[in-house]
Amino acid sequence: MSPLLLSLAFAAALAASTLVKFWLSSRQIRHVAAHRGQVPAAFAGSVTLVAHQKAADYTVARSRFGLLALAFNAAVLLGWTLLGGLNALNSWALEASRMLPEAWQGMGYQLGLVAVFVLAGSLLDLPWELWSTFRIEQAFGFNRTTLKLFFADMAKGLAVGVLMGMPIVAFILWLMGAAGPLWWLWAWGAWMGFNLLIMVIYPTVIAPLFNKFEPLTDLALKDRVEKLMARCGFAAKGLFVMDGSRRSAHGNAYFSGFGPAKRVVFFDTLLTKLNGSEVEAVLAHELGHFKHKHITKRIVLMFAMSLAGFALLGWLAQQPAFYLGLGATPNLDAPNDALALILFLLAGPVFGFFVTPLASHFSRRDEFQADAYARAQASGADLSSALLKLHEDNAGTLTPDPVYARFYYSHPPAAERLAALGAS
Ligand SMILES: [Zn+2]
């Protein structure tokens, strides 16, 4: 592998992915704007023109904002890599670590580099998140968070990130340096163990840091949900209502955790919008994902892809051309593991972008299966009316560009979902 060849391949992939993203979003904006004037015939009786136009305006506003963010992110990525940003940060971190006691220099330098890189990335993202939350979401009446809560969330997120993220990063960096040529296998094992731990403790330890969870008190709904779960052969350790309305008007329901720690969580926003039988249908859809083992399959896929990723990193980290081709000079007298890790995380998604349509395709197939399960265990009509209400409340467009939807949509467009639900 020659550095120049890698530089060219990376630049070409970045240009191609940016152009494709730009093309898709422009299509989406044009298509949605062109269909703004009229509610599609299939929804004429159930969706008002006002709601349809709000959805169109919301989609266009978000997509236009997305175009700006797209250009910005491509420039930042180019800045980190080929234009030498990470290389400059690396020299600085190396220099700064010389102030540490000698035994700490190697790890101190590497953790410092990762920490400053992550911090810089968050700062670059911050204005975009503020604008998205307090301008766009606000303008369409979805935002419920305040600046105070926004920054409190950020501080908590940072604390959780440092407390949980730093030890695992340090451990992986240590393995990279100390575990020999098969370090990537050990690192993969550590990373998987860490992910499983997060999945187990997320519902009971992490999520409560950000939201309040209270047992479901609506007895009629509780009875309905418990009957559904018994019918489907599920046990959960509790039914909870989460105060999602503190931050956003968007509604949701999920089933989280593993084994005995499993719990059903309803956003309070969902319960205020849907009636009992609609909530039951939405939950039946979530249970469908479990019944069809979609969650397990996704976890297994994630394990397999991580293994391939670590194996690839194990090889790339040995190649000087990997660093040079992405705009960084490998260190001669310090470990290169943190540098390799960051470059890999920067460049990987650029190449990985091109499998998006494949992932979207399989995700939509899973959604259809879960819908079919919900239709069998609860009611297709209730799920349809729930989906329509949620769609309208989230101002989802009913007229997405077909190519855009094929490429990105993890859930089938509303028209296709409702058609499939009514088909039996
Ligand atoms: Zn689903």
Side-chain angles (χ1 to χ4, degrees):
M1 186 166 65
S2 92
L4 181 63
L5 212 59
L6 178 59
S7 295
L8 287 174
F10 176 70
L14 180 58
S17 63
T18 305
L19 284 174
V20 169
K21 286 177 191 171
F22 199 87
W23 174 69
L24 287 167
S25 290
S26 312
R27 282 187 66 106
Q28 172 81 335
I29 291 171
R30 277 201 309 275
H31 195 92
V32 170
H35 292 80
R36 185 181 182 279
Q38 207 179 357
V39 179
F43 299 97
S46 46
V47 176
T48 63
L49 184 63
V50 173
H52 174 68
Q53 296 193 329
K54 179 186 175 185
D57 296 343
Y58 180 57
T59 307
V60 168
R62 290 213 316 172
S63 305
R64 289 220 172 105
F65 178 70
L67 286 180
L68 287 179
L70 172 62
F72 177 76
N73 288 331
V76 167
L77 188 51
L78 209 58
W80 279 128
T81 54
L82 300 185
L83 298 179
L86 183 61
N87 198 47
L89 184 62
N90 183 53
S91 311
W92 174 82
L94 208 52
E95 200 56 48
S97 71
R98 305 265 187 254
M99 289 184 282
L100 294 170
E102 183 137 8
W104 290 88
Q105 282 182 9
M107 190 49 85
Y109 143 69
Q110 298 204 90
L111 283 179
L113 178 62
V114 171
V116 176
F117 172 76
V118 170
L119 199 66
S122 311
L123 286 178
L124 288 169
D125 274 346
L126 184 61
W128 298 88
E129 279 190 33
L130 284 169
W131 190 271
S132 160
T133 307
F134 293 101
R135 291 287 155 155
I136 302 181
E137 294 289 301
Q138 187 87 35
F140 288 89
F142 292 128
N143 179 44
R144 300 256 176 97
T145 193
T146 56
L147 267 178
K148 196 177 146 198
L149 183 59
F150 182 91
F151 283 107
D153 281 349
M154 208 170 82
K156 276 189 223 165
L158 197 69
V160 172
V162 170
L163 282 174
M164 309 213 43
M166 273 313 206
I168 181 69
V169 171
F171 187 53
I172 286 180
L173 288 171
W174 176 77
L175 284 172
M176 289 175 88
L182 284 181
W183 69 261
W184 52 271
L185 206 54
W186 293 102
W188 174 72
W191 178 240
M192 290 303 99
F194 177 73
N195 271 283
L196 287 176
L197 178 72
I198 297 283
M199 282 182 229
V200 171
I201 68 170
Y202 180 83
T204 46
V205 179
I206 300 176
L209 294 174
F210 294 89
N211 283 98
K212 271 208 200 73
F213 292 81
E214 274 166 6
L216 179 64
T217 48
D218 179 338
L219 291 180
L221 183 61
K222 201 172 163 188
D223 182 54
R224 192 184 260 286
V225 165
E226 276 166 356
K227 281 194 181 120
L228 169 75
M229 308 243 322
R231 198 156 73 233
C232 299
F234 278 94
K237 210 175 171 185
L239 309 174
F240 293 88
V241 180
M242 188 189 106
D243 59 345
S245 58
R246 270 182 86 199
R247 295 185 178 79
S248 160
H250 296 299
N252 208 347
Y254 67 91
F255 198 57
S256 77
F258 258 130
K262 272 210 277 288
R263 40 170 66 188
V264 175
V265 176
F266 298 105
F267 281 37
D268 54 357
T269 35
L270 186 85
L271 299 185
T272 56
K273 283 166 191 164
L274 304 185
N275 66 38
S277 44
E278 288 167 340
V279 171
E280 180 182 343
V282 168
L283 182 61
H285 168 97
E286 294 305 320
L287 296 180
H289 282 306
F290 270 83
K291 210 65 180 183
H292 285 286
K293 303 215 174 353
H294 295 155
I295 317 291
T296 318
K297 279 182 207 159
R298 262 172 230 183
I299 293 173
V300 169
L301 185 67
M302 180 189 82
F303 274 39
M305 304 236 304
S306 308
L307 180 60
F310 273 108
L312 182 61
L313 177 58
W315 178 70
L316 286 172
Q318 306 281 328
Q319 318 293 321
F322 171 61
Y323 303 86
L324 296 167
L326 293 172
T329 314
N331 310 310
L332 295 174
D333 53 356
N336 281 301
D337 304 323
L339 197 55
L341 202 58
I342 295 173
L343 286 173
F344 189 74
L345 292 176
L346 283 173
V350 175
F351 293 97
F353 166 74
F354 297 97
V355 302
T356 308
L358 202 65
S360 303
H361 170 81
F362 286 113
S363 170
R364 288 194 303 268
R365 195 194 56 180
D366 288 355
E367 294 304 329
F368 278 128
Q369 279 182 353
D371 278 354
Y373 183 83
R375 192 177 60 193
Q377 299 293 336
S379 141
D382 286 329
L383 185 58
S384 294
S385 70
L387 287 175
L388 208 54
K389 278 187 191 172
L390 292 176
H391 210 73
E392 185 167 332
D393 271 330
N394 290 329
T397 178
L398 293 168
T399 57
D401 172 57
V403 180
Y404 182 92
R406 282 283 160 275
F407 201 97
Y408 283 121
Y409 273 28
S410 63
H411 288 61
E416 288 178 33
R417 262 183 109 172
L418 296 197
L421 276 170
S424 76

